[in-house]
Amino acid sequence: MWEYSDKVKEHFFNPKNAGVLVDANAVGEVGALSCGDALKLMLHIDPVTEIVLEAKFQTYGCGSAIASSSALTELVIGKTLAQARAITNRDIAEYLGGLPPEKMHCAVMGHEALQSAIADFRGEVWRPLHEEGALVCKCHGVDAGVIERAIRENGLSTVDQVSAFTQAGTGCTTCYEQIEDILARVASEVAAAQIVEISEEVVSSAATTQAPAAPRAGAVNLFTAAMRPASAPAPRPPAPVRPAAETSPLSPASPPSAGMTNLKRIRLIEETIEDLRVYLRKDGGDCELIDVDGSNVLVSLTGACVGCQMASVTVSGIQERLITKLGVPIRVIPVGRNAH
Ligand code: FES
């Protein structure tokens, strides 16, 4: 049984702006009745100011589809086209106080209908990304482009989440493996970008305080290979929290953990380590989260990471990453797998 917010219920039972807009000069239609979900969004836009004066919708779908469409019309009325174009599926869901994950595709449908209507006003034809990429889910006509965009824009990490946002994989399920492949590829690309940024940041800050260590033949480290001299493998103490002003604007978002519940904090730690595992595995190693005890994060290194000369540097890199993510001092301690 899905939990719906009061606002979702309100927009479902008393949808705003439902019906036909006779004066519409921009119409966007997405979905298909054969798929069980369809939405027609009609806008009346002032041609001079490009402000949306009126918006109405007709939809065929579940309560969440009706609530999402209703919310979309409320969000878009009074906005300029430029502002309307920036509305995302997350904005729609947030306006409703959240949607069950399984229903996020309703908000995605609203976002696509809006883009389609704006294109229509401009005399263009909007084409969903899935018309341009390889078809992944034949049951629902969802292609790699749509899946990748949903993953990147919403930080998705599981097939179930992708299904909730795109419907891909909710039919015969033969596309599961392809969705998993896209998730793995995007995760590795995101992790690579983050690691490069962190390494550059750390290397540049270290360059002001110490000469870089000479690289050792055959020693490759994912995080801060140039940071630690071979003769000093001990992990560094947790770095002090840097004020926001010192953080590079290009750095990935590093939400402070202040105000975060323990559960959220542990989940963030889990996700961060999961991202890094992709890289460790490529080198034949692995790292598993064993426990979180206050500011101590206990991990178990396995595979090629065990006994590796660079293990301490790897631990240090994980520590750096977690500190950046959580914004508080964290100590990563390697332990045996059965430590807890
Ligand atoms: S091909 Fe994706 S669910 Fe059938």
Short mmCIF file of all heavy atoms in Angstrom, two decimals, residues 170-209:
data_model
loop_
_atom_site.label_atom_id
_atom_site.label_comp_id
_atom_site.label_asym_id
_atom_site.label_seq_id
_atom_site.Cartn_x
_atom_site.Cartn_y
_atom_site.Cartn_z
N THR A 170 9.03 -2.81 -15.82
CA THR A 170 7.84 -3.19 -15.04
C THR A 170 6.92 -4.14 -15.81
O THR A 170 5.82 -4.42 -15.36
CB THR A 170 7.04 -1.94 -14.62
OG1 THR A 170 6.69 -1.21 -15.81
CG2 THR A 170 7.84 -1.05 -13.70
N GLY A 171 7.37 -4.57 -16.99
CA GLY A 171 6.56 -5.52 -17.75
C GLY A 171 7.15 -6.91 -17.67
O GLY A 171 7.17 -7.53 -16.61
N CYS A 172 7.70 -7.37 -18.79
CA CYS A 172 8.22 -8.74 -18.84
C CYS A 172 9.55 -8.89 -18.09
O CYS A 172 10.00 -10.01 -17.85
CB CYS A 172 8.42 -9.16 -20.28
SG CYS A 172 9.73 -8.22 -21.11
N THR A 173 10.18 -7.79 -17.78
CA THR A 173 11.44 -7.72 -17.02
C THR A 173 12.66 -8.22 -17.78
O THR A 173 13.74 -8.36 -17.22
CB THR A 173 11.39 -8.48 -15.66
OG1 THR A 173 11.36 -9.87 -15.91
CG2 THR A 173 10.20 -8.06 -14.83
N THR A 174 12.53 -8.45 -19.08
CA THR A 174 13.72 -8.91 -19.82
C THR A 174 14.76 -7.80 -20.00
O THR A 174 15.87 -8.07 -20.41
CB THR A 174 13.34 -9.45 -21.21
OG1 THR A 174 12.62 -8.43 -21.91
CG2 THR A 174 12.52 -10.71 -21.13
N CYS A 175 14.38 -6.58 -19.70
CA CYS A 175 15.33 -5.47 -19.88
C CYS A 175 16.12 -5.18 -18.58
O CYS A 175 16.89 -4.23 -18.52
CB CYS A 175 14.59 -4.21 -20.33
SG CYS A 175 13.30 -3.72 -19.19
N TYR A 176 15.91 -6.00 -17.55
CA TYR A 176 16.56 -5.76 -16.26
C TYR A 176 18.07 -5.61 -16.39
O TYR A 176 18.68 -4.69 -15.85
CB TYR A 176 16.24 -6.91 -15.30
CG TYR A 176 15.38 -6.48 -14.13
CD1 TYR A 176 14.11 -5.96 -14.35
CD2 TYR A 176 15.84 -6.57 -12.83
CE1 TYR A 176 13.32 -5.56 -13.29
CE2 TYR A 176 15.05 -6.17 -11.77
CZ TYR A 176 13.79 -5.67 -12.01
OH TYR A 176 13.01 -5.26 -10.95
N GLU A 177 18.67 -6.55 -17.12
CA GLU A 177 20.14 -6.53 -17.20
C GLU A 177 20.64 -5.28 -17.89
O GLU A 177 21.65 -4.71 -17.50
CB GLU A 177 20.63 -7.77 -17.97
CG GLU A 177 20.92 -8.92 -17.04
CD GLU A 177 21.53 -10.09 -17.76
OE1 GLU A 177 22.31 -9.86 -18.70
OE2 GLU A 177 21.22 -11.22 -17.38
N GLN A 178 19.92 -4.85 -18.92
CA GLN A 178 20.35 -3.63 -19.62
C GLN A 178 20.25 -2.41 -18.70
O GLN A 178 21.10 -1.54 -18.74
CB GLN A 178 19.49 -3.42 -20.87
CG GLN A 178 19.88 -4.30 -22.03
CD GLN A 178 18.92 -4.12 -23.18
OE1 GLN A 178 17.88 -4.75 -23.22
NE2 GLN A 178 19.25 -3.24 -24.10
N ILE A 179 19.21 -2.38 -17.89
CA ILE A 179 19.07 -1.26 -16.95
C ILE A 179 20.22 -1.30 -15.94
O ILE A 179 20.81 -0.27 -15.61
CB ILE A 179 17.71 -1.32 -16.22
CG1 ILE A 179 16.57 -1.21 -17.23
CG2 ILE A 179 17.60 -0.20 -15.19
CD1 ILE A 179 15.19 -1.43 -16.64
N GLU A 180 20.54 -2.51 -15.48
CA GLU A 180 21.66 -2.64 -14.54
C GLU A 180 22.96 -2.15 -15.17
O GLU A 180 23.77 -1.50 -14.52
CB GLU A 180 21.81 -4.09 -14.09
CG GLU A 180 20.80 -4.49 -13.03
CD GLU A 180 20.92 -5.95 -12.64
OE1 GLU A 180 21.48 -6.73 -13.44
OE2 GLU A 180 20.43 -6.31 -11.57
N ASP A 181 23.15 -2.47 -16.45
CA ASP A 181 24.37 -2.03 -17.15
C ASP A 181 24.45 -0.51 -17.20
O ASP A 181 25.50 0.08 -16.99
CB ASP A 181 24.40 -2.58 -18.58
CG ASP A 181 24.68 -4.08 -18.60
OD1 ASP A 181 25.09 -4.60 -17.55
OD2 ASP A 181 24.46 -4.71 -19.64
N ILE A 182 23.31 0.12 -17.49
CA ILE A 182 23.31 1.59 -17.56
C ILE A 182 23.59 2.18 -16.18
O ILE A 182 24.35 3.14 -16.03
CB ILE A 182 21.96 2.10 -18.12
CG1 ILE A 182 21.78 1.60 -19.55
CG2 ILE A 182 21.91 3.64 -18.10
CD1 ILE A 182 20.41 1.89 -20.15
N LEU A 183 22.98 1.59 -15.15
CA LEU A 183 23.24 2.07 -13.78
C LEU A 183 24.72 1.97 -13.45
O LEU A 183 25.31 2.92 -12.90
CB LEU A 183 22.44 1.22 -12.79
CG LEU A 183 20.98 1.62 -12.56
CD1 LEU A 183 20.22 0.49 -11.88
CD2 LEU A 183 20.88 2.89 -11.73
N ALA A 184 25.33 0.84 -13.80
CA ALA A 184 26.74 0.65 -13.46
C ALA A 184 27.62 1.65 -14.23
O ALA A 184 28.55 2.22 -13.68
CB ALA A 184 27.16 -0.78 -13.79
N ARG A 185 27.28 1.85 -15.50
CA ARG A 185 28.09 2.78 -16.30
C ARG A 185 27.99 4.20 -15.76
O ARG A 185 29.00 4.88 -15.58
CB ARG A 185 27.63 2.74 -17.78
CG ARG A 185 28.37 3.73 -18.67
CD ARG A 185 28.02 3.56 -20.12
NE ARG A 185 26.60 3.66 -20.41
CZ ARG A 185 25.94 4.81 -20.49
NH1 ARG A 185 26.56 5.96 -20.26
NH2 ARG A 185 24.65 4.83 -20.77
N VAL A 186 26.76 4.64 -15.48
CA VAL A 186 26.59 6.00 -14.98
C VAL A 186 27.26 6.15 -13.62
O VAL A 186 27.94 7.15 -13.35
CB VAL A 186 25.09 6.38 -14.89
CG1 VAL A 186 24.91 7.73 -14.22
CG2 VAL A 186 24.47 6.40 -16.28
N ALA A 187 27.12 5.13 -12.76
CA ALA A 187 27.75 5.20 -11.43
C ALA A 187 29.25 5.33 -11.57
O ALA A 187 29.89 6.11 -10.86
CB ALA A 187 27.39 3.96 -10.62
N SER A 188 29.83 4.57 -12.49
CA SER A 188 31.28 4.64 -12.62
C SER A 188 31.71 5.98 -13.20
O SER A 188 32.73 6.53 -12.81
CB SER A 188 31.81 3.47 -13.44
OG SER A 188 31.74 3.74 -14.79
N GLU A 189 30.92 6.54 -14.11
CA GLU A 189 31.26 7.85 -14.66
C GLU A 189 31.16 8.94 -13.60
O GLU A 189 32.01 9.81 -13.51
CB GLU A 189 30.35 8.17 -15.85
CG GLU A 189 30.68 7.36 -17.08
CD GLU A 189 29.65 7.53 -18.20
OE1 GLU A 189 28.76 8.40 -18.07
OE2 GLU A 189 29.75 6.79 -19.19
N VAL A 190 30.10 8.86 -12.80
CA VAL A 190 29.93 9.86 -11.74
C VAL A 190 31.05 9.75 -10.72
O VAL A 190 31.66 10.74 -10.30
CB VAL A 190 28.54 9.69 -11.06
CG1 VAL A 190 28.46 10.52 -9.80
CG2 VAL A 190 27.44 10.07 -12.02
N ALA A 191 31.36 8.50 -10.33
CA ALA A 191 32.42 8.30 -9.33
C ALA A 191 33.75 8.78 -9.88
O ALA A 191 34.55 9.40 -9.17
CB ALA A 191 32.50 6.83 -8.95
N ALA A 192 34.00 8.51 -11.17
CA ALA A 192 35.27 8.94 -11.78
C ALA A 192 35.39 10.45 -11.72
O ALA A 192 36.44 11.00 -11.35
CB ALA A 192 35.36 8.46 -13.22
N ALA A 193 34.32 11.13 -12.07
CA ALA A 193 34.35 12.59 -12.07
C ALA A 193 34.59 13.12 -10.66
O ALA A 193 35.37 14.06 -10.45
CB ALA A 193 33.05 13.14 -12.63
N GLN A 194 33.94 12.49 -9.69
CA GLN A 194 34.09 12.95 -8.31
C GLN A 194 35.50 12.70 -7.80
O GLN A 194 36.10 13.55 -7.15
CB GLN A 194 33.07 12.25 -7.42
CG GLN A 194 31.66 12.71 -7.70
CD GLN A 194 30.63 11.95 -6.88
OE1 GLN A 194 30.91 10.84 -6.41
NE2 GLN A 194 29.46 12.52 -6.74
N ILE A 195 36.04 11.52 -8.11
CA ILE A 195 37.37 11.19 -7.63
C ILE A 195 38.41 12.11 -8.25
O ILE A 195 39.33 12.58 -7.58
CB ILE A 195 37.69 9.71 -7.92
CG1 ILE A 195 36.87 8.84 -6.98
CG2 ILE A 195 39.17 9.42 -7.74
CD1 ILE A 195 36.89 7.37 -7.30
N VAL A 196 38.25 12.39 -9.53
CA VAL A 196 39.20 13.30 -10.18
C VAL A 196 39.15 14.67 -9.51
O VAL A 196 40.17 15.27 -9.20
CB VAL A 196 38.86 13.43 -11.69
CG1 VAL A 196 39.60 14.61 -12.29
CG2 VAL A 196 39.26 12.14 -12.41
N GLU A 197 37.95 15.14 -9.23
CA GLU A 197 37.82 16.46 -8.61
C GLU A 197 38.45 16.48 -7.23
O GLU A 197 39.18 17.40 -6.86
CB GLU A 197 36.35 16.85 -8.49
CG GLU A 197 35.78 17.34 -9.80
CD GLU A 197 34.31 17.69 -9.67
OE1 GLU A 197 33.86 17.87 -8.53
OE2 GLU A 197 33.64 17.81 -10.70
N ILE A 198 38.18 15.42 -6.46
CA ILE A 198 38.75 15.38 -5.11
C ILE A 198 40.27 15.28 -5.17
O ILE A 198 40.97 15.98 -4.45
CB ILE A 198 38.18 14.17 -4.33
CG1 ILE A 198 36.72 14.43 -4.05
CG2 ILE A 198 38.92 13.96 -3.03
CD1 ILE A 198 36.00 13.21 -3.62
N SER A 199 40.77 14.43 -6.05
CA SER A 199 42.21 14.27 -6.16
C SER A 199 42.86 15.59 -6.52
O SER A 199 43.87 15.98 -5.94
CB SER A 199 42.54 13.23 -7.22
OG SER A 199 42.11 11.97 -6.79
N GLU A 200 42.28 16.29 -7.49
CA GLU A 200 42.85 17.56 -7.91
C GLU A 200 42.85 18.56 -6.76
O GLU A 200 43.81 19.28 -6.51
CB GLU A 200 42.07 18.14 -9.10
CG GLU A 200 42.37 17.41 -10.39
CD GLU A 200 41.46 17.86 -11.51
OE1 GLU A 200 40.50 18.61 -11.23
OE2 GLU A 200 41.72 17.46 -12.65
N GLU A 201 41.73 18.54 -6.02
CA GLU A 201 41.59 19.47 -4.90
C GLU A 201 42.63 19.16 -3.82
O GLU A 201 43.33 20.04 -3.33
CB GLU A 201 40.19 19.31 -4.32
CG GLU A 201 39.77 20.40 -3.39
CD GLU A 201 38.34 20.16 -2.95
OE1 GLU A 201 37.44 20.10 -3.79
OE2 GLU A 201 38.16 20.01 -1.74
N VAL A 202 42.75 17.87 -3.49
CA VAL A 202 43.67 17.49 -2.43
C VAL A 202 45.12 17.71 -2.86
O VAL A 202 45.94 18.21 -2.11
CB VAL A 202 43.44 16.00 -2.05
CG1 VAL A 202 44.47 15.55 -1.05
CG2 VAL A 202 42.06 15.82 -1.48
N VAL A 203 45.42 17.32 -4.13
CA VAL A 203 46.79 17.49 -4.62
C VAL A 203 47.16 18.96 -4.60
O VAL A 203 48.24 19.35 -4.18
CB VAL A 203 46.91 16.92 -6.06
CG1 VAL A 203 48.21 17.38 -6.69
CG2 VAL A 203 46.87 15.40 -6.01
N SER A 204 46.22 19.80 -5.03
CA SER A 204 46.55 21.21 -5.09
C SER A 204 46.75 21.79 -3.70
O SER A 204 47.63 22.59 -3.47
CB SER A 204 45.48 21.95 -5.87
OG SER A 204 44.84 22.85 -5.11
N SER A 205 45.96 21.31 -2.70
CA SER A 205 46.17 21.85 -1.36
C SER A 205 47.46 21.32 -0.77
O SER A 205 48.17 22.00 -0.06
CB SER A 205 44.98 21.52 -0.48
OG SER A 205 45.18 20.37 0.21
N ALA A 206 47.83 20.05 -1.10
CA ALA A 206 49.06 19.48 -0.56
C ALA A 206 50.28 20.14 -1.18
O ALA A 206 51.32 20.26 -0.54
CB ALA A 206 49.11 17.98 -0.84
N ALA A 207 50.16 20.56 -2.42
CA ALA A 207 51.31 21.14 -3.11
C ALA A 207 51.80 22.39 -2.41
O ALA A 207 52.95 22.78 -2.54
CB ALA A 207 50.93 21.46 -4.56
N THR A 208 50.94 23.02 -1.64
CA THR A 208 51.34 24.23 -0.95
C THR A 208 52.06 23.92 0.35
O THR A 208 52.67 24.78 0.95
CB THR A 208 50.11 25.09 -0.62
OG1 THR A 208 49.28 24.36 0.24
CG2 THR A 208 49.37 25.49 -1.87
N THR A 209 51.99 22.65 0.79
CA THR A 209 52.61 22.34 2.08
C THR A 209 53.73 21.32 2.00
O THR A 209 54.53 21.23 2.90
CB THR A 209 51.55 21.79 3.05
OG1 THR A 209 50.95 20.65 2.46
CG2 THR A 209 50.49 22.83 3.34
#
